[in-house]
Amino acid sequence: MFNLFKEKLKNLIGIGKKEPEIEEKKKEKKSEVKKIVKEIKKSAESKKKSIEKEIVKEELHEKIEDLEEKIEEKEIQKTEAKEEKIKEESIETEEPEEKQGFFSRLIKLPTKLNTVRLDQETFNEFFEKLEAILLENNVALSVVDKIREDMEKRLVNIEIKKDRLEQEIKNTLKESILEILIPPFDLIEIVKKKEGAFVIVFFGINGSGKTTTIAKLASLLQKNKISCVFAAADTFRAASIEQLEKHGNNLNIKVIKQNYGADPAAVAFDAIQYANAHSIKAVLIDTAGRMHTKSDLLKEMEKIIRVAKPDLKVFVAESITGNDAVEQAKNFNDSAGIDGVILTKADVDEKGGTAISIGHVTNKPILFLGTGQNYNDLQKFDPNEVIVNLGLD
C-alpha cells in the first residue's frame, strides 16, 4: 500500500531536485539568448552607423558634383562670350586674324578652363544644400553661420584648379570645424602636477548620466595611480547618495555624505577637508541635476563653486539631445563658467553635431565621450574623429 505512495513521493522529491537544475538551465539559455540578441543589436548599430556615415559622404559628394557642373557651365558661358567678343573685334578692325592674335588668344582660353572661380551666387546655392545637411546632423544655426562665413572668405571669387575643387571645399569645411573644436587638455597630467587635492565639480541636468560619468572618470584616475574621494553634494534628488555610494563600493572609493536636504556646499567642503587630511589627490563633487532655467538651483551651484573653489568645472550632457544640450551648455557656462565638457551616450549619437555646437557656444574643449555603461567606457575626445565621421578626412 505504501509502495505507490512511496513511489509518488520519490517522484515528487525527484522533481523538486530537478527543478532547480531545469531553472538553472532556463536561466543559462535566457542568458545566452540575451547575449546573442545584444551582439546582434551591437552589430546592427555598427552597420547602421557605417551606412549613415556613407550616406552623409554621398550627400556631400553629390552637392559638390552639382557645384562643379554649375561652375563648369558658367566657365563655358564665359569662354563662349569671350570667343564671340574676339570675333567681333576681329571683324571691326578689318585686319588679318593672325595680326590680331586671335588664335593665340583662343589657344590660351582652354588653359583657363583648368581653373574655376566660384562666384557668390553659385556659392549661395551650394551652401544652402550644405546647410541642410549640417542642421540635420544637430549642428546649431549659429555654428552653421560661422562655417558659412569661413567658407565664403576662403572660396568665393578665388581661382581654384578644377580637379582640386572638391578637395578644396572639403578642406575649407574641415578647417572651419577644427577651428571650433578646441583640443582637450591632458587631465591626468594637470591633476598630478597640482600640489594638494585637485577639486572637480560636475554639473548638468537630471538624466544626463552625470553620476555614472563621475565614476568612470574616477576609474580612469585610479588606473593612473591617482587616489579619489567622492562628495555626495546632490542632497536634492532621491536615491542620488545611494547611487554614488554604489559606485564608491564598486571602485573602493570613500563617499563623503550628509542627510538629504543638507547644504551641498558643506558636503563639498567636508570632502576637500577629508582629502587633505588623508593625502587623497582628487575630489570629485556630484551636484544636483539642475535645469538651466531654475534660478534657485543655479544659485546653489554658484555657492558650491564659491566654497569649494574647484580647479575644474565640468558640464555633463547627453550628445543625443542636440540643440537642448547646446542651450544647457551656454546657460551653465554663463552662470558658472565651465572649463570642459563630457558628452554621454556618444555610442548611440548618430549625428555628432552636438560636439561641434557646444564647442562653439562655450569656446571650451570637449574632454571625454561616454560610450557605454561600463567604467572603461570613457573615451578621450579627438576633434579629428569628427572630421573622419563627416567624411572630410
Side-chain angles (χ1 to χ4, degrees), residues 74-231:
K74 290 196 175 186
E75 288 295 328
I76 290 170
Q77 288 172 356
K78 286 179 184 177
T79 302
E80 288 174 349
K82 285 181 181 179
E83 287 177 359
E84 190 63 35
K85 188 177 179 181
I86 290 167
K87 285 179 184 178
E88 289 172 0
E89 287 176 355
S90 176
I91 292 168
E92 285 174 6
T93 55
E94 295 181 355
E95 290 184 14
E97 288 176 346
E98 289 79 9
K99 288 184 181 179
Q100 292 299 311
F102 172 74
F103 287 111
S104 62
R105 277 187 279 177
L106 190 60
I107 289 167
K108 289 178 184 177
L109 288 175
T111 62
K112 289 186 179 180
L113 283 175
N114 291 332
T115 62
V116 292
R117 190 185 293 272
L118 188 61
D119 62 27
Q120 187 68 53
E121 183 185 350
T122 311
F123 173 80
N124 291 344
E125 289 177 15
F126 162 73
F127 195 84
E128 189 177 327
K129 295 170 185 175
L130 177 60
E131 179 179 45
I133 294 174
L134 293 170
L135 291 172
E136 284 169 10
N137 283 274
N138 277 346
V139 178
L141 186 58
S142 60
V143 184
V144 174
D145 290 341
K146 164 76 167 61
I147 291 171
R148 181 192 182 99
E149 186 181 327
D150 290 344
M151 292 186 74
E152 195 169 346
K153 284 179 184 176
R154 295 169 187 169
L155 290 174
V156 174
N157 293 325
I158 305 296
E159 281 200 358
I160 302 167
K161 286 188 177 179
K162 187 178 173 183
D163 60 358
R164 290 282 304 162
L165 180 61
E166 180 172 342
Q167 194 56 49
E168 283 298 320
I169 290 170
K170 284 185 176 182
N171 286 345
T172 305
L173 181 56
K174 174 181 170 181
E175 286 167 15
S176 182
I177 291 171
L178 287 177
E179 281 178 12
I180 292 168
L181 295 172
I182 300 170
F185 48 80
D186 190 336
L187 179 59
I188 304 299
E189 193 63 29
I190 65 170
V191 171
K192 285 182 175 179
K193 277 184 179 178
K194 192 196 171 182
E195 291 184 13
F198 191 95
V199 180
I200 309 174
V201 171
F202 297 82
F203 43 79
I205 67 163
N206 282 332
S208 62
K210 178 167 46 64
T211 305
T212 304
T213 297
I214 292 171
K216 288 180 183 179
L217 187 58
S219 177
L220 177 65
L221 292 172
Q222 285 181 322
K223 285 174 186 172
N224 286 274
K225 309 210 182 309
I226 296 171
S227 55
C228 304
V229 63
F230 288 151

Side-chain angles (χ1 to χ4, degrees), residues 207-209 317-320 343-349 369-373:
S208 62
E318 287 183 317
S319 59
I320 56 174
L343 291 177
T344 63
K345 299 187 180 179
D347 52 323
V348 292
D349 178 18
L369 299 176
T371 57
Q373 296 301 312

